[in-house]
Amino acid sequence: MGEVHTGLLQNSGEISESTCRQVLGITAGETVRVSRRPIVHALSPERLTGVDCALPAASRSRVRGVGTVVSRCTVTGGRVAQGSSYVRVVRSEADRRLAWSHYLARPGVVEVLGKAKAADLAEGFTGDPAPGCLDLGAVSGRFLDLVQASPLLDRRAPFKIPRTSLRWVAETGEPSIRFTLHTEQERTLRLTHPGPFTPAVVDLCEDLATHDWLLTSLLVIVERARIGTTPGAQAVARLAPAIDHLLHLWMPAARVEEWLTPFWDSLERRPGFTRQWRSLVDRVRDQVAMNTLALLSASAETGRR
Amino acid sequence: MTPVHATFGEVAAERRVASVPLSHVSVELGHLYMEDFEAGPARLREQFRRVAPWLATVRSLWRERVPGGRARVSTCFLVDDYFSRFSTPAELVPMILEAAAEHDLTIDYLARESACAQFEDAQSNGVELARLVEDRLVDDPPPDTDGSRPPVKETGWLCNGSRSPRTAPVQAMGKARPWEPPVQNAKRGHSIFVDVELWDEKGPRRTWSCPFLAAVWQLLRLGLLRSDGRVPLPPVALDGGWPRDWDDLPAVVRLDPQAAPFSAYTTLSVLSPRFLPVELAVRTILSQVAVDDEVLRQIAGRSEGEGVRLEEELVDRISYVFV
């Protein structure tokens, strides 16, 4: 299970690859991994956080888990920042808390002391977790803050857009995917995949979170432009940040391992992420075209006179 | 047309982690403070007289354990040039080697303690091993740590449980808060609470504590540290004589060209009992260091290939003889 927080990098423009490396260099002696095709994507080294707390269970039964959370930050296209954390929940062999070195030898694993049902925990985590339970959102949020607080950023973002959070649970079984929008900023994802869990699943969730955030942000910008009720030039001015900063970032499933691409594909069929994105992009471009035409004909008018 | 399967790779997107050659065991023949050296060669000879039988024992134990009896044992000696500097390598090192030879001991590698903090030469390009380890500390969480708050840290301190709550001086009308004990996290019956000072800072200069540097030293001997994927401070053979300045001495000097590798699956340190508290602190620190996954996998794979079963937790790969 994991949680991804996504937001606009607090900088006036896109940051360069070398700045990305510095911003994400959160551990001494560890390199930031950067891939350039088909879009620049930088991934920080992984950090661990120790936890010993109740795990969220839908049945509200008390389940204690001890272990470490893996966290990392990413910057996509020099523009979109993420803080992402996850754990793998396994049954503990000993029924008591062991020396800390035991848990450190299993990074990213939280061991459950006592009995717990996987379905109960999955339901609890994507539902409404009780306070005091494992809070991956807080951990991810802190890692995103870490990126956003970098002194290398000028903190002059071109527009304000809220962060989104994607809480996900992956289980082994017959392939299925369920993406749910809750409030404006909260999403959950239930994923069932064949074979054991691998970090490739985390890549998929981060990729989905990035694109969901892009879609959400573009929707907000188009909404704010009040197309049809405000004068054309004004609407276009309000759409400008989307053209400058977002439209080129849509690269679904670019870094998703091949065996997981069918999950993206099925989301493309229903609800159709790319379909919605394209219709929004067309709408933005049509507005710009219309406005250009209006300006051209206006100047032609004045020329004739 | 048959579909074409494309693969595409980017070097900057991959992680490359170098591997180190490994012995079965790295035996530390002693760790002396500068004041021990000041006491002269007699103190050194006494140290080596006590150590010699233990080295022989370790050798024979590993010969039994390794298939074919071909145990790789390397020996090392750490000189403390961090907290105080005494004499010069040109005077001191030959004295150590001589005293060891009197008891038929060979020192394969000589290391400088200050290199565990920070070391700079043309090859290493300035490695701050201590910072490297500091960034990999993962605090042992007391119960009810759910991730909602950043881990409670006393800057520069690391403990193995929950500290005793601060008891503020009782105010005039205030109610006195009774003392509460600290609690060890994974206690067995009763707590043994350990709180270790990692460093102190006077102005801009940070002084790392002796246990912290000793923890770095153990990680270095276990071959578990990497800096940008490379092995930091590989042993260097010395050409020419011993330098007159500690700063001109490589971090780890290989004294015997035929010696087994410096880093090893396990370590053994033969120390005086006065190091007991330091080593308890070292273990407290080491049990909170997250070592690179890839490095652990490399070592596990290699040892399995050799038929040597290693302890999963790295603190269990370290042993001591206190004499």
Coordinates of all heavy atoms in Angstrom, one line a residue, chain A residues 21 26-37 47-53 62 64 67-68 96-102 104-107 131-136 138-139 142 258, chain B residues 5 8 10 12-15 131-132 135-151 185-186 188 226-229 286-290 292-293 296 312-313 315:
Chain A
R21 N 18.7 17.4 -10.3 CA 19.6 16.5 -9.6 C 19.9 17.1 -8.2 O 19.9 16.3 -7.2 CB 20.9 16.3 -10.3 CG 20.8 15.4 -11.5 CD 22.2 15.2 -12.1 NE 22.0 14.6 -13.4 CZ 21.9 13.2 -13.5 NH1 22.0 12.5 -12.5 NH2 21.8 12.7 -14.7
I26 N 18.7 14.0 -1.9 CA 18.3 14.1 -0.5 C 19.2 13.2 0.4 O 19.0 13.2 1.6 CB 16.8 13.8 -0.2 CG1 16.4 12.4 -0.9 CG2 15.9 14.9 -0.8 CD1 15.0 12.0 -0.6
T27 N 20.1 12.4 -0.2 CA 20.9 11.5 0.6 C 22.4 11.7 0.0 O 22.6 11.6 -1.2 CB 20.5 10.1 0.4 OG1 19.1 10.0 0.6 CG2 21.2 9.2 1.4
A28 N 23.3 12.0 0.9 CA 24.7 12.1 0.5 C 25.2 10.8 -0.1 O 24.9 9.8 0.4 CB 25.6 12.5 1.7
G29 N 26.0 11.0 -1.2 CA 26.6 9.8 -1.8 C 25.7 9.0 -2.6 O 26.0 7.9 -3.0
E30 N 24.5 9.4 -2.8 CA 23.5 8.7 -3.7 C 23.2 9.5 -4.9 O 22.9 10.7 -4.8 CB 22.2 8.4 -2.9 CG 22.3 7.2 -2.0 CD 22.3 5.9 -2.8 OE1 21.9 5.9 -4.0 OE2 22.7 4.9 -2.2
T31 N 23.1 8.9 -6.0 CA 22.8 9.6 -7.3 C 21.3 9.7 -7.5 O 20.6 8.8 -7.2 CB 23.5 8.9 -8.5 OG1 23.6 7.6 -8.2 CG2 24.8 9.6 -8.8
V32 N 20.9 10.8 -8.1 CA 19.5 11.0 -8.6 C 19.5 10.3 -9.9 O 20.3 10.6 -10.8 CB 19.2 12.5 -8.6 CG1 17.9 12.7 -9.3 CG2 19.3 13.1 -7.2
R33 N 18.5 9.5 -10.2 CA 18.4 8.9 -11.5 C 17.5 9.7 -12.4 O 16.4 10.1 -12.0 CB 17.8 7.5 -11.3 CG 18.8 6.5 -10.7 CD 18.3 5.1 -10.6 NE 17.4 5.0 -9.5 CZ 16.6 4.0 -9.4 NH1 16.5 3.1 -10.3 NH2 15.8 3.9 -8.3
V34 N 18.0 10.0 -13.6 CA 17.3 10.8 -14.5 C 17.1 10.0 -15.8 O 18.0 9.5 -16.4 CB 18.0 12.1 -14.8 CG1 17.3 13.0 -15.8 CG2 18.3 12.8 -13.5
S35 N 15.8 10.0 -16.3 CA 15.6 9.4 -17.6 C 15.1 10.6 -18.5 O 14.4 11.4 -18.0 CB 14.7 8.2 -17.6 OG 13.5 8.5 -17.0
R36 N 15.5 10.6 -19.8 CA 15.2 11.7 -20.6 C 14.2 11.4 -21.7 O 13.6 12.3 -22.3 CB 16.5 12.2 -21.3 CG 17.6 12.6 -20.3 CD 18.8 13.2 -21.0 NE 19.8 13.3 -20.1 CZ 20.8 12.4 -19.8 NH1 20.8 11.3 -20.5 NH2 21.7 12.7 -18.9
R37 N 13.9 10.2 -21.9 CA 12.9 9.8 -23.0 C 11.7 9.1 -22.4 O 11.9 8.2 -21.5 CB 13.6 8.8 -24.0 CG 14.8 9.4 -24.7 CD 14.4 10.2 -25.9 NE 15.6 10.6 -26.6 CZ 16.4 11.7 -26.3 NH1 16.0 12.4 -25.2 NH2 17.4 12.0 -26.9
R47 N 14.5 6.9 0.8 CA 14.7 7.1 2.3 C 13.7 6.3 3.1 O 12.6 6.0 2.6 CB 14.6 8.6 2.7 CG 15.6 9.5 2.1 CD 16.9 9.5 2.8 NE 16.9 10.1 4.1 CZ 17.4 11.3 4.4 NH1 17.9 12.1 3.5 NH2 17.4 11.8 5.6
L48 N 14.1 5.9 4.3 CA 13.2 5.1 5.1 C 12.8 5.9 6.3 O 13.5 6.7 6.8 CB 14.0 3.8 5.6 CG 14.5 2.9 4.5 CD1 15.2 1.7 5.2 CD2 13.3 2.3 3.7
T49 N 11.6 5.5 6.7 CA 11.0 6.1 8.0 C 10.5 4.9 8.8 O 9.8 4.1 8.3 CB 9.8 7.1 7.7 OG1 10.2 8.0 6.7 CG2 9.4 7.8 8.9
G50 N 10.9 4.9 10.1 CA 10.4 3.9 11.0 C 9.0 4.1 11.5 O 8.7 5.3 11.9
V51 N 8.2 3.1 11.6 CA 6.9 3.2 12.2 C 6.6 2.0 13.1 O 7.1 0.9 12.9 CB 5.8 3.3 11.1 CG1 5.8 4.6 10.4 CG2 5.8 2.1 10.1
D52 N 5.8 2.3 14.1 CA 5.3 1.2 15.0 C 4.0 1.7 15.5 O 3.9 2.6 16.4 CB 6.3 1.1 16.2 CG 5.8 0.1 17.3 OD1 4.6 -0.3 17.2 OD2 6.6 -0.2 18.2
C53 N 2.9 1.3 14.8 CA 1.6 1.9 15.1 C 0.5 0.9 14.7 O 0.7 -0.2 14.1 CB 1.5 3.2 14.4 SG 1.7 3.0 12.6
R62 N -7.9 -3.8 16.3 CA -6.6 -3.2 16.4 C -5.5 -4.1 15.9 O -5.3 -5.2 16.4 CB -6.3 -2.9 17.9 CG -5.1 -1.9 18.1 CD -4.9 -1.3 19.4 NE -3.5 -1.0 19.6 CZ -3.0 0.1 19.1 NH1 -3.7 1.0 18.4 NH2 -1.7 0.3 19.2
R64 N -1.4 -4.2 15.0 CA -0.2 -3.4 15.2 C 0.9 -3.8 14.1 O 1.1 -5.0 13.9 CB 0.4 -3.7 16.6 CG 1.7 -2.9 16.9 CD 2.2 -3.2 18.3 NE 3.5 -2.6 18.5 CZ 4.3 -2.9 19.6 NH1 3.9 -3.9 20.4 NH2 5.4 -2.3 19.7
G67 N 7.8 -1.5 11.3 CA 8.7 -1.7 10.1 C 9.1 -0.3 9.5 O 9.0 0.7 10.2
T68 N 9.5 -0.4 8.3 CA 9.9 0.9 7.6 C 9.1 1.2 6.4 O 8.7 0.3 5.7 CB 11.4 0.8 7.2 OG1 11.5 -0.4 6.4 CG2 12.3 0.7 8.4
R96 N 6.2 -10.6 18.8 CA 6.6 -9.4 19.6 C 7.5 -8.5 18.8 O 8.0 -8.9 17.8 CB 7.3 -9.9 20.9 CG 8.5 -10.7 20.5 CD 9.1 -11.4 21.7 NE 10.2 -12.3 21.3 CZ 11.4 -11.9 20.9 NH1 11.7 -10.6 21.0 NH2 12.3 -12.7 20.5
R97 N 7.6 -7.3 19.3 CA 8.5 -6.4 18.6 C 10.0 -6.9 18.8 O 10.4 -7.1 19.9 CB 8.3 -5.0 19.2 CG 9.4 -4.1 18.8 CD 9.0 -2.7 18.3 NE 10.2 -2.1 18.0 CZ 10.3 -0.8 17.9 NH1 9.3 0.0 18.1 NH2 11.5 -0.2 17.5
L98 N 10.7 -6.9 17.7 CA 12.1 -7.3 17.7 C 13.0 -6.1 17.7 O 12.6 -5.0 17.6 CB 12.3 -8.2 16.5 CG 11.4 -9.4 16.4 CD1 11.6 -10.1 15.0 CD2 11.8 -10.4 17.5
A99 N 14.3 -6.4 17.7 CA 15.3 -5.4 17.7 C 15.2 -4.6 16.4 O 14.8 -5.2 15.3 CB 16.7 -6.0 17.8
W100 N 15.5 -3.3 16.4 CA 15.3 -2.5 15.2 C 16.1 -3.0 14.0 O 15.6 -2.8 12.9 CB 15.6 -1.0 15.6 CG 15.2 -0.1 14.5 CD1 16.1 0.8 13.9 CD2 14.0 0.1 13.8 NE1 15.4 1.5 12.9 CE2 14.1 1.1 12.9 CE3 12.7 -0.6 14.0 CZ2 13.1 1.5 12.0 CZ3 11.7 -0.2 13.1 CH2 11.9 0.8 12.2
S101 N 17.2 -3.6 14.2 CA 18.1 -4.0 13.1 C 17.3 -5.1 12.3 O 17.5 -5.2 11.1 CB 19.4 -4.5 13.6 OG 19.2 -5.4 14.6
H102 N 16.4 -5.8 12.9 CA 15.7 -6.8 12.2 C 14.8 -6.1 11.1 O 14.7 -6.6 10.0 CB 14.8 -7.6 13.2 CG 13.7 -8.4 12.6 ND1 13.9 -9.7 12.2 CD2 12.4 -8.1 12.2 CE1 12.8 -10.2 11.6 NE2 11.9 -9.3 11.7
L104 N 15.3 -3.1 9.9 CA 16.1 -2.4 8.9 C 16.6 -3.4 7.8 O 17.0 -3.0 6.7 CB 17.2 -1.7 9.6 CG 16.9 -0.3 10.1 CD1 18.2 0.4 10.6 CD2 16.2 0.5 9.1
A105 N 16.8 -4.7 8.2 CA 17.2 -5.6 7.2 C 16.1 -5.9 6.2 O 16.4 -6.6 5.2 CB 17.7 -6.9 7.9
R106 N 14.9 -5.4 6.4 CA 13.8 -5.6 5.5 C 13.2 -4.2 5.1 O 12.1 -3.9 5.6 CB 12.7 -6.4 6.2 CG 13.1 -7.9 6.4 CD 12.3 -8.5 7.5 NE 12.7 -9.8 7.8 CZ 13.8 -10.0 8.5 NH1 14.6 -9.1 9.0 NH2 14.2 -11.3 8.8
P107 N 13.9 -3.5 4.3 CA 13.4 -2.1 4.0 C 12.1 -2.2 3.3 O 11.9 -3.0 2.4 CB 14.5 -1.5 3.1 CG 15.3 -2.7 2.6 CD 15.2 -3.8 3.7
P131 N -7.7 8.0 13.2 CA -6.5 8.7 13.5 C -5.6 7.8 14.4 O -6.1 7.0 15.1 CB -7.1 9.9 14.4 CG -8.5 9.6 14.7 CD -9.0 8.6 13.7
G132 N -4.3 8.1 14.2 CA -3.4 7.3 15.0 C -2.9 6.1 14.2 O -2.0 5.4 14.7
C133 N -3.6 5.8 13.1 CA -3.1 4.7 12.2 C -2.0 5.1 11.3 O -1.8 6.3 11.1 CB -4.3 4.2 11.4 SG -5.5 3.3 12.3
L134 N -1.3 4.2 10.8 CA -0.2 4.4 9.8 C -0.6 5.5 8.8 O -1.7 5.4 8.1 CB 0.0 3.1 9.0 CG 1.1 3.2 7.9 CD1 2.5 3.5 8.5 CD2 1.2 1.9 7.1
D135 N 0.2 6.6 8.8 CA -0.2 7.7 8.0 C 0.8 8.0 6.9 O 1.7 8.8 7.0 CB -0.3 8.9 9.0 CG -0.9 10.1 8.3 OD1 -1.1 10.1 7.1 OD2 -1.2 11.1 9.0
L136 N 0.6 7.2 5.8 CA 1.6 7.4 4.7 C 1.5 8.7 4.0 O 2.4 9.2 3.5 CB 1.4 6.2 3.7 CG 1.7 4.8 4.1 CD1 1.5 3.8 3.0 CD2 3.1 4.7 4.6
A138 N 1.0 11.6 5.4 CA 1.9 12.6 6.1 C 3.3 12.4 5.7 O 4.1 13.4 5.5 CB 1.7 12.4 7.6
V139 N 3.8 11.2 5.6 CA 5.2 10.9 5.2 C 5.4 11.4 3.8 O 6.3 12.2 3.5 CB 5.5 9.4 5.3 CG1 6.9 9.2 4.9 CG2 5.2 8.8 6.6
R142 N 5.5 15.2 3.6 CA 6.8 15.7 4.1 C 7.8 15.6 3.0 O 8.6 16.6 2.9 CB 7.2 15.0 5.3 CG 6.8 15.6 6.6 CD 7.7 15.2 7.8 NE 7.9 13.8 7.9 CZ 7.0 13.0 8.5 NH1 5.8 13.5 9.0 NH2 7.2 11.7 8.6
E258 N 6.3 -3.2 -19.0 CA 5.4 -3.7 -20.1 C 4.2 -4.5 -19.5 O 3.1 -4.4 -19.9 CB 6.2 -4.5 -21.1 CG 5.6 -4.4 -22.4 CD 6.6 -4.8 -23.5 OE1 7.8 -4.6 -23.2 OE2 6.2 -5.2 -24.6
Chain B
H5 N 10.1 -5.9 -31.1 CA 10.3 -5.7 -29.7 C 11.4 -4.7 -29.5 O 12.5 -5.0 -29.8 CB 10.5 -7.0 -29.0 CG 10.5 -6.8 -27.5 ND1 9.4 -6.7 -26.7 CD2 11.6 -6.6 -26.6 CE1 9.7 -6.5 -25.5 NE2 11.0 -6.4 -25.4
F8 N 15.0 0.0 -24.8 CA 15.7 1.3 -24.8 C 16.3 1.5 -23.4 O 15.6 1.2 -22.4 CB 14.6 2.4 -25.1 CG 15.1 3.8 -24.9 CD1 16.0 4.3 -25.8 CD2 14.7 4.6 -23.8 CE1 16.5 5.6 -25.7 CE2 15.2 5.8 -23.7 CZ 16.1 6.4 -24.6
E10 N 18.8 4.0 -20.7 CA 19.5 5.3 -20.4 C 20.4 5.1 -19.3 O 20.0 4.7 -18.2 CB 18.5 6.4 -20.1 CG 17.7 6.8 -21.3 CD 16.7 7.9 -20.9 OE1 15.6 7.6 -20.6 OE2 17.1 9.1 -21.0
A12 N 22.0 7.2 -17.3 CA 21.7 8.1 -16.2 C 20.5 7.6 -15.4 O 20.3 8.0 -14.2 CB 21.5 9.5 -16.6
A13 N 19.7 6.7 -16.0 CA 18.5 6.3 -15.3 C 18.7 5.0 -14.5 O 17.9 4.6 -13.8 CB 17.4 6.1 -16.3
E14 N 19.9 4.4 -14.7 CA 20.2 3.2 -14.0 C 21.0 3.4 -12.8 O 21.7 4.4 -12.8 CB 20.9 2.2 -15.0 CG 19.9 1.7 -16.1 CD 20.7 1.1 -17.3 OE1 21.9 0.9 -17.2 OE2 20.0 0.9 -18.3
R15 N 21.0 2.5 -11.9 CA 21.8 2.6 -10.7 C 22.9 1.6 -10.9 O 22.7 0.4 -11.1 CB 21.0 2.3 -9.5 CG 20.8 3.5 -8.7 CD 20.2 3.1 -7.4 NE 21.1 3.3 -6.3 CZ 21.4 2.5 -5.3 NH1 20.8 1.4 -5.3 NH2 22.2 2.9 -4.4
R131 N 29.0 11.8 7.0 CA 27.7 12.4 6.5 C 26.9 11.3 5.7 O 25.7 11.3 5.8 CB 28.0 13.5 5.5 CG 28.6 14.7 6.1 CD 27.5 15.7 6.6 NE 28.2 16.9 7.2 CZ 27.5 17.8 7.9 NH1 26.2 17.7 8.0 NH2 28.1 18.8 8.4
L132 N 27.6 10.5 5.0 CA 27.0 9.4 4.2 C 26.2 8.5 5.2 O 25.1 8.2 4.9 CB 28.2 8.6 3.6 CG 28.0 8.0 2.3 CD1 28.1 9.1 1.2 CD2 29.1 7.0 2.0
D135 N 23.1 10.3 6.8 CA 21.9 10.4 6.0 C 21.2 9.0 5.9 O 20.1 8.9 5.3 CB 22.3 10.8 4.6 CG 22.3 12.3 4.4 OD1 22.0 13.0 5.4 OD2 22.6 12.8 3.4
R136 N 21.8 8.0 6.4 CA 21.2 6.7 6.3 C 20.7 6.2 7.6 O 20.3 5.0 7.8 CB 22.2 5.6 5.7 CG 22.3 5.8 4.2 CD 23.5 5.1 3.7 NE 23.6 5.3 2.3 CZ 23.9 6.5 1.7 NH1 24.1 7.6 2.5 NH2 23.9 6.7 0.4
L137 N 20.7 7.1 8.6 CA 20.2 6.7 9.9 C 18.6 6.7 9.9 O 18.0 7.6 9.4 CB 20.6 7.7 11.0 CG 22.1 7.6 11.4 CD1 22.3 8.8 12.4 CD2 22.4 6.3 12.1
V138 N 18.0 5.6 10.3 CA 16.6 5.5 10.4 C 16.2 5.2 11.8 O 16.5 4.2 12.4 CB 16.0 4.4 9.5 CG1 14.5 4.3 9.6 CG2 16.5 4.5 8.1
D139 N 15.7 6.2 12.5 CA 15.4 6.2 13.9 C 14.5 5.0 14.3 O 13.5 4.8 13.7 CB 14.8 7.4 14.4 CG 15.7 8.6 14.3 OD1 16.4 8.7 13.3 OD2 15.8 9.4 15.3
D140 N 14.9 4.3 15.3 CA 14.2 3.2 15.9 C 12.9 3.9 16.5 O 13.0 4.7 17.4 CB 15.0 2.7 17.1 CG 14.5 1.4 17.7 OD1 13.3 1.2 17.5 OD2 15.2 0.8 18.4
P141 N 11.7 3.6 15.9 CA 10.5 4.3 16.4 C 9.9 3.7 17.7 O 9.7 2.5 17.8 CB 9.5 4.1 15.2 CG 9.9 2.7 14.7 CD 11.4 2.5 14.9
P142 N 9.6 4.6 18.6 CA 8.8 4.1 19.8 C 7.4 3.8 19.4 O 6.9 4.3 18.4 CB 8.9 5.3 20.8 CG 9.4 6.5 20.0 CD 9.9 6.0 18.7
P143 N 6.7 2.9 20.2 CA 5.3 2.6 19.8 C 4.5 3.9 19.6 O 4.7 4.9 20.2 CB 4.8 1.8 21.0 CG 6.1 1.2 21.6 CD 7.2 2.2 21.3
D144 N 3.5 3.7 18.7 CA 2.6 4.8 18.3 C 3.3 5.9 17.4 O 2.9 7.0 17.4 CB 1.9 5.5 19.5 CG 1.0 4.5 20.2 OD1 0.4 3.7 19.5 OD2 1.0 4.5 21.5
T145 N 4.3 5.5 16.7 CA 4.9 6.3 15.7 C 4.2 5.9 14.4 O 4.4 4.9 13.9 CB 6.4 6.0 15.6 OG1 7.0 6.2 16.8 CG2 7.1 7.0 14.6
D146 N 3.3 6.8 13.9 CA 2.5 6.4 12.8 C 2.9 7.2 11.5 O 2.2 7.1 10.5 CB 1.0 6.6 13.1 CG 0.7 8.1 13.4 OD1 1.6 8.9 13.3 OD2 -0.4 8.3 13.9
G147 N 4.0 7.9 11.6 CA 4.4 8.6 10.4 C 3.8 10.0 10.3 O 4.2 10.8 9.4
S148 N 2.8 10.4 11.1 CA 2.2 11.7 11.0 C 3.1 12.8 11.4 O 2.9 13.9 11.0 CB 0.9 11.7 11.8 OG 1.2 11.5 13.2
R149 N 4.1 12.5 12.2 CA 5.0 13.6 12.6 C 6.4 13.1 12.2 O 6.7 11.9 12.2 CB 5.0 13.7 14.1 CG 4.1 14.8 14.6 CD 4.1 14.7 16.1 NE 2.9 14.0 16.5 CZ 2.0 14.6 17.3 NH1 2.3 15.8 17.8 NH2 0.9 14.0 17.7
P150 N 7.3 14.1 12.0 CA 8.7 13.7 11.7 C 9.3 13.0 13.0 O 8.8 13.4 14.1 CB 9.4 15.0 11.4 CG 8.5 16.1 11.7 CD 7.1 15.5 11.9
P151 N 10.2 12.1 12.9 CA 10.7 11.4 14.0 C 11.3 12.4 15.1 O 11.9 13.4 14.7 CB 11.8 10.6 13.5 CG 11.8 10.7 12.0 CD 10.8 11.6 11.6
N185 N 12.9 0.3 23.3 CA 11.8 -0.1 22.4 C 11.6 -1.6 22.4 O 10.5 -2.1 22.6 CB 12.1 0.3 21.0 CG 11.8 1.8 20.8 OD1 11.0 2.3 21.5 ND2 12.4 2.4 19.8
A186 N 12.6 -2.4 22.1 CA 12.4 -3.8 22.0 C 13.0 -4.5 23.3 O 13.9 -5.3 23.2 CB 13.0 -4.4 20.8
R188 N 13.5 -6.7 26.7 CA 13.2 -8.0 27.2 C 13.1 -7.9 28.7 O 14.1 -7.9 29.4 CB 14.3 -9.0 26.8 CG 14.3 -9.3 25.4 CD 15.3 -10.4 25.1 NE 15.1 -10.9 23.7 CZ 14.6 -12.2 23.5 NH1 14.5 -13.0 24.5 NH2 14.4 -12.5 22.3
R226 N 29.0 2.9 0.0 CA 29.2 3.3 -1.3 C 29.0 4.8 -1.4 O 28.1 5.4 -0.7 CB 28.2 2.6 -2.3 CG 28.3 1.2 -2.4 CD 29.6 0.7 -3.0 NE 29.6 -0.8 -3.1 CZ 29.9 -1.6 -2.1 NH1 30.3 -1.1 -1.0 NH2 29.9 -2.9 -2.3
S227 N 29.8 5.5 -2.2 CA 29.6 6.9 -2.5 C 29.3 7.1 -4.0 O 30.2 6.7 -4.8 CB 30.8 7.7 -2.0 OG 30.6 9.0 -2.3
D228 N 28.2 7.5 -4.4 CA 27.8 7.6 -5.8 C 28.0 6.2 -6.5 O 28.5 6.2 -7.6 CB 28.6 8.7 -6.5 CG 28.1 10.0 -6.1 OD1 26.9 10.2 -5.7 OD2 28.9 11.0 -6.0
G229 N 27.7 5.2 -5.8 CA 27.9 3.8 -6.4 C 29.3 3.3 -6.3 O 29.5 2.1 -6.6
L286 N 24.6 1.3 14.8 CA 24.6 0.4 13.6 C 23.2 -0.2 13.4 O 22.8 -0.5 12.3 CB 25.6 -0.6 13.7 CG 27.1 -0.2 13.4 CD1 28.0 -1.3 13.5 CD2 27.2 0.4 12.0
S287 N 22.5 -0.4 14.5 CA 21.2 -1.1 14.3 C 20.2 -0.1 13.8 O 19.0 -0.4 13.5 CB 20.7 -1.7 15.6 OG 20.5 -0.7 16.6
Q288 N 20.6 1.2 13.6 CA 19.7 2.2 13.0 C 20.2 2.7 11.7 O 19.8 3.8 11.2 CB 19.4 3.3 14.0 CG 18.8 2.7 15.3 CD 18.5 3.8 16.3 OE1 17.8 4.8 16.0 NE2 18.8 3.5 17.6
V289 N 21.2 2.0 11.1 CA 21.7 2.4 9.8 C 21.1 1.6 8.7 O 21.1 0.3 8.8 CB 23.2 2.3 9.7 CG1 23.7 2.7 8.3 CG2 23.9 3.2 10.7
A290 N 20.4 2.2 7.7 CA 19.9 1.5 6.6 C 20.9 1.3 5.5 O 21.3 2.3 4.9 CB 18.6 2.2 6.0
D292 N 22.4 0.2 1.9 CA 21.9 0.1 0.5 C 21.5 -1.4 0.2 O 22.2 -2.3 0.4 CB 23.0 0.5 -0.4 CG 22.5 0.7 -1.9 OD1 21.9 -0.2 -2.4 OD2 22.8 1.7 -2.4
D293 N 20.3 -1.5 -0.3 CA 19.7 -2.8 -0.6 C 20.5 -3.6 -1.6 O 20.7 -4.8 -1.4 CB 18.3 -2.5 -1.3 CG 17.2 -3.3 -0.7 OD1 17.4 -3.8 0.4 OD2 16.2 -3.4 -1.3
L296 N 23.6 -5.0 0.0 CA 23.3 -6.2 0.8 C 23.1 -7.4 -0.1 O 23.6 -8.5 0.2 CB 22.1 -5.9 1.6 CG 22.3 -5.0 2.8 CD1 20.9 -4.8 3.5 CD2 23.3 -5.5 3.8
E312 N 21.6 -12.1 8.9 CA 20.8 -11.2 8.1 C 21.0 -9.7 8.6 O 21.1 -8.8 7.8 CB 19.3 -11.5 8.3 CG 18.5 -11.1 7.1 CD 17.1 -11.8 7.3 OE1 16.5 -11.5 8.3 OE2 16.7 -12.5 6.3
E313 N 21.0 -9.6 9.9 CA 21.2 -8.3 10.5 C 22.7 -7.9 10.6 O 23.4 -8.7 11.1 CB 20.5 -8.2 11.8 CG 19.0 -8.4 11.7 CD 18.4 -8.7 13.0 OE1 18.8 -8.2 14.1 OE2 17.5 -9.5 13.0
V315 N 24.4 -6.0 12.5 CA 25.1 -5.9 13.8 C 25.5 -7.3 14.2 O 26.4 -7.5 15.0 CB 24.2 -5.3 14.9 CG1 24.2 -3.8 14.8 CG2 22.8 -5.8 14.9

